[in-house]
Amino acid sequence: MNNFALLGALALSLLSPLALADDAKPMRIGIEAAYPPFAMKTPEGTITGFDYDIGNALCEEMQVKCVWIEQEFDGLIPALKVRKFDAVLSSMAITEDRLKSVDFTHKYYDTPARLAMKTGAVINDPLVDLKGKKVGVQRASIYDRYATGEFAPVGVEVVRYSSQNEIFLDMAAGRLDATLADAVNIDDGFLKTDAGKGFALVGPDFTEKKYIGDGIGIAVRKGDKATAEKFNAAIAAIRANGKYQQVQDKYFNFNVYGK
């Protein structure tokens, strides 16, 4: 092979998708790994869960390396804004309030909010039936905002925690009467465990967009349209090529994406 042919082959190899993927800047993603089945730790201490697997599928589609950075949930948006990471993929709802601080991709799943209480509890009207009771919520979550805006003014004692797992511990210990949280997280992270025996989902779905938002999306810095568009294209691609379905079927027996 002469020198010109060798240089041409080298140039083509450098322009190949794999070469571009190797040279691409890693995608640093913030996540709270204490929210099963969406994100949690294995006994070996590694992150697993639906959010984590979806994120890795999206990075593979975008041909970039995922670098996962753990952060408590209430610190995710502040850390994103100071560039600790490039995006937040951590079961974060798309709400009007958050859109004042960050931008979001299209949704990548959508599940309802529910109450959990002792089995046998009857909740017909939460604003009446929860009066005088202690309801645990995760700090800075949509459930915190709902409880603060709707429950607290009618005499419900809202107790805030750093993680939903802490709430489940206090539920089991009898220090709380109820929790408002994602129905799937309650079911998988509490009701299906030994600690959750004797508890059940009660009352209606909570769907008010003012608090609950428009599904779960990936947060990016305000004005970072390039990153949002890359994620949006990747979400559409894995929905179309079956990778999303593969991840969903690993964790759920229903359509977690929603309508």
Side-chain angles (χ1 to χ4, degrees):
M1 183 180 291
N2 60 39
N3 288 340
F4 289 109
L6 182 61
L7 288 171
L10 178 60
L12 286 172
S13 70
L14 290 173
L15 290 172
S16 71
L18 287 176
L20 290 172
D22 289 340
D23 292 340
K25 184 179 178 182
M27 183 68 71
R28 300 170 302 155
I29 303 177
I31 190 170
E32 181 212 29
Y35 198 67
F38 300 102
M40 57 276 191
K41 291 289 193 69
T42 67
E44 294 74 33
T46 57
I47 304 173
T48 187
F50 178 79
D51 281 348
Y52 180 75
D53 287 355
I54 285 291
N56 286 329
L58 293 173
C59 285
E60 182 180 356
E61 184 65 34
M62 295 185 292
Q63 297 186 348
V64 297
K65 180 183 178 182
C66 272
V67 175
W68 294 91
I69 302 171
E70 289 185 65
Q71 180 82 44
E72 286 193 354
F73 190 83
D74 60 354
L76 284 168
I77 286 179
L80 173 66
K81 292 171 75 172
V82 299
R83 300 179 179 271
K84 182 176 179 179
F85 26 75
D86 306 303
V88 171
L89 201 163
S90 191
S91 291
M92 187 170 284
I94 305 165
T95 66
E96 290 183 8
D97 187 56
R98 287 179 178 145
L99 283 166
K100 296 173 184 176
S101 299
V102 297
D103 287 337
F104 278 93
T105 64
H106 300 156
K107 74 169 186 177
Y108 67 95
Y109 82 85
D110 193 1
T111 49
R114 293 286 302 277
L115 285 165
M117 298 181 72
K118 283 281 191 181
T119 302
V122 177
I123 299 294
N124 294 314
D125 182 348
L127 301 185
V128 174
D129 300 331
L130 291 176
K131 186 175 181 180
K133 298 188 183 301
K134 291 184 178 181
V135 177
V137 292
Q138 185 172 14
R139 188 178 295 110
S141 68
I142 55 176
Y143 317 108
D144 181 359
R145 288 181 172 85
Y146 188 97
T148 300
E150 301 293 325
F151 289 171
V154 297
V156 179
E157 184 177 348
V158 179
V159 187
R160 298 169 182 83
Y161 293 78
S162 295
S163 76
Q164 189 63 38
N165 287 344
E166 293 177 275
I167 296 172
F168 294 149
L169 289 172
D170 271 10
M171 288 278 288
R175 288 188 281 268
L176 291 170
D177 298 298
T179 183
L180 177 66
D182 179 86
V184 178
N185 174 239
I186 292 172
D187 186 51
D188 197 89
F190 186 51
L191 301 183
K192 289 181 179 177
T193 70
D194 289 341
K197 285 182 170 62
F199 292 87
L201 293 168
V202 299
D205 287 354
F206 293 82
T207 58
E208 290 90 334
K209 286 192 175 183
K210 175 182 176 182
Y211 300 107
I212 305 304
D214 293 298
I216 304 300
I218 302 165
V220 299
R221 278 184 291 278
K222 202 72 179 169
D224 188 0
K225 293 182 179 179
T227 300
E229 288 171 0
K230 287 178 184 177
F231 273 115
N232 283 336
I235 291 169
I238 67 170
R239 291 273 298 157
N241 65 24
K243 289 183 180 178
Y244 184 96
Q245 187 74 37
Q246 290 175 11
V247 176
Q248 173 183 277
D249 291 349
K250 180 178 175 182
Y251 295 97
F252 312 112
N253 59 3
F254 61 91
N255 173 24
V256 75
Y257 186 81
K259 297 179 181 179

